Amino acid sequence: MTTDTRTPVVTGPRTAAPEEGRLSGRARLVLFVLCAAQFMVALDFSVLNVALPVLGKDLGLSPSALQWAVTAFSLPSGGFLLLFSRIGDLFGRKKLFLAGLLVFGAASLLATLAWNPAAFLTGRALQGLGAAAVVPAGMSLLTTTFPEGPLRDRALGISGTLLSLGFTVGMVLGGVMTDTLGWRSTMGLLAVAALVVLALAPGLLAESRTPERPRLDVPGAVAVTAGLLALIYALSTAADRGFGGTDVRAALVAGLVLLALFVVVESKAAAPLVSLPMLRRRTVAWGNVGGLVTFSMMSTVVFVLTLYLQETLGLSSFLTGLVFGVQGVTSALAGAVAPRFIGRFGARRTLVGSLAGQGLFTAALLAVGADSGALVATVAVSLASMCHLGAIISYGLTVTSGVPDGEQGLATGLVTTTQQVGLTVGIPLLGVLATTGNSLFGGVRTVLAVDAALVVGAALLVAVGLGRREG
């Protein structure tokens, strides 16, 4: 795709111009709508986790089939991200955002009322499809609404905070709602949230798209969507059954081959889905490496700590939720502070420093014991999460800074794809080490050690890849 530096087509109401770097009242409402949608999708990633055993008994899902409650969502939500990002660029990000909300809300209602496993899994798959439209369109609307600089830094800081909080709050809220109102209430909450955002969005958001409409790269869209679907299926299934299954290995190979084919197609296409010159930008390439590592490794830490707190220390679900509640509060504080660090040190240096901090505080979790360690775990994971939040915000800024408005959908599509893949791959790749050894506690320590080493190593690689120059 030819880089287009012209201003994108924007129609409809605009946000009021801010004065002295402050958000206007209308800009605050726009930010609320876009962040609420991101929070809603993040909540969907975790709100159902604690409810799975109850849900399985109610709907008649076998323990081995419960993984599909998660996989049915993650397959389309990750697989269709890049395709929907480009569709939003070409035909209107606001239209795609609203359509995604409508699908997500209707699917959540279907999952709430599900009368059998097929109806529930259909609802979950449609939720994922709606999320695949909402997330990249919402991010593109955010980056094209708020100009590059302090305003965008602040907007992305708030968005990143709510993204991190949504995952954590979902774990706590899911347990409380399941115990008091039943598992269906978790899906009903998402339906109500989608309805509220859908009611507010049309009058607040301005339409935005690229000034020209080249033909959609159909071969590239088919290759990347099928490749991501196969890869996410393989990794999600491996989390439950390991990599020994024929279907898992076949899907893994197919996914890698299709993604390699996608690169070949994009190099020859007249109007590619992904601009390869964009991927050659240091900020885009290394920023996404940092994002992939911070998401995948932090999700793994949360997973193994949940096992440690409940299975090794014997903490109740409520007390375990409190630990992650503290983590959520510290993440919120980090979201408020991170933009100041970025303003002072730059997004690239903040990304490197945040990754290093996440790795070091993850290593501090090795101090937990087999009989005690809840306090150490709470403090260390909270500090690691603060650094993780800083990495989320700074990697998003690193990737999107300097990208023309006409290609913001492509850049944010890569950002959100990295998020989705990161959330998907960490647990299958490392979490299995915690559950397949002779000792759960020993396995948890192994995972934490490998996790910390990978994050610190990534910090060094990103520092070298981005270089010292702060652009």
Side-chain angles (χ1 to χ4, degrees), residues 139-409:
M139 282 290 290
S140 292
L141 287 167
L142 188 149
T143 54
T144 53
T145 298
F146 298 96
E148 189 171 331
L151 284 177
R152 186 182 292 179
D153 292 358
R154 185 178 177 189
L156 284 174
I158 295 171
S159 177
T161 300
L162 290 177
L163 181 68
S164 180
L165 275 176
F167 188 81
T168 304
V169 168
M171 295 179 65
V172 180
L173 197 59
V176 173
M177 294 184 71
T178 301
D179 286 344
T180 56
L181 301 172
W183 70 266
R184 294 179 188 273
S185 64
T186 63
M187 296 291 97
L189 173 66
L190 296 172
V192 173
L195 180 63
V196 171
V197 177
L198 191 58
L200 295 173
L204 289 171
L205 301 179
E207 185 58 279
S208 171
R209 62 177 181 270
T210 53
E212 294 181 354
R213 297 189 186 184
R215 290 184 303 171
L216 186 63
D217 175 23
V218 176
V222 171
V224 72
T225 301
L228 286 172
L229 286 172
L231 190 61
I232 293 171
Y233 169 82
L235 293 172
S236 299
T237 307
D240 180 64
R241 297 193 278 114
F243 287 94
T246 303
D247 60 332
V248 173
R249 286 180 289 183
L252 187 60
V253 171
L256 294 175
V257 169
L258 284 165
L259 291 179
L261 177 63
F262 170 67
V263 174
V264 174
V265 170
E266 297 306 278
S267 67
K268 299 179 179 180
L273 190 65
V274 170
S275 172
L276 295 184
M278 177 184 290
L279 289 176
R280 287 195 287 269
R281 292 174 183 253
R282 286 185 305 155
T283 52
V284 173
W286 289 105
N288 276 300
V289 167
L292 180 66
V293 170
T294 193
F295 270 103
S296 59
M297 295 300 102
M298 199 64 212
S299 64
T300 304
V301 168
V302 171
F303 172 74
V304 297
L305 271 190
T306 302
L307 294 177
Y308 167 73
L309 293 171
Q310 292 188 343
E311 302 296 332
T312 302
L313 297 188
L315 267 62
S316 66
S317 298
F318 176 74
L319 291 176
T320 301
L322 285 182
V323 171
F324 292 112
V326 174
Q327 176 198 20
V329 172
T330 57
S331 294
L333 294 174
V337 173
R340 298 182 184 179
F341 277 88
I342 293 170
R344 181 171 181 180
F345 300 107
R348 304 181 195 183
R349 293 188 183 96
T350 304
L351 173 58
V352 172
S354 297
L355 285 171
Q358 180 180 328
L360 292 175
F361 286 120
T362 298
L365 285 166
L366 293 170
V368 299
D371 300 317
S372 62
L375 180 59
V376 172
T378 302
V379 173
V381 76
S382 297
L383 293 173
S385 292
M386 292 181 73
C387 296
H388 168 63
L389 204 285
I392 291 176
I393 298 171
S394 53
Y395 109 84
L397 285 171
T398 299
V399 172
T400 57
S401 295
V403 176
D405 280 349
E407 292 190 335
Q408 279 294 334

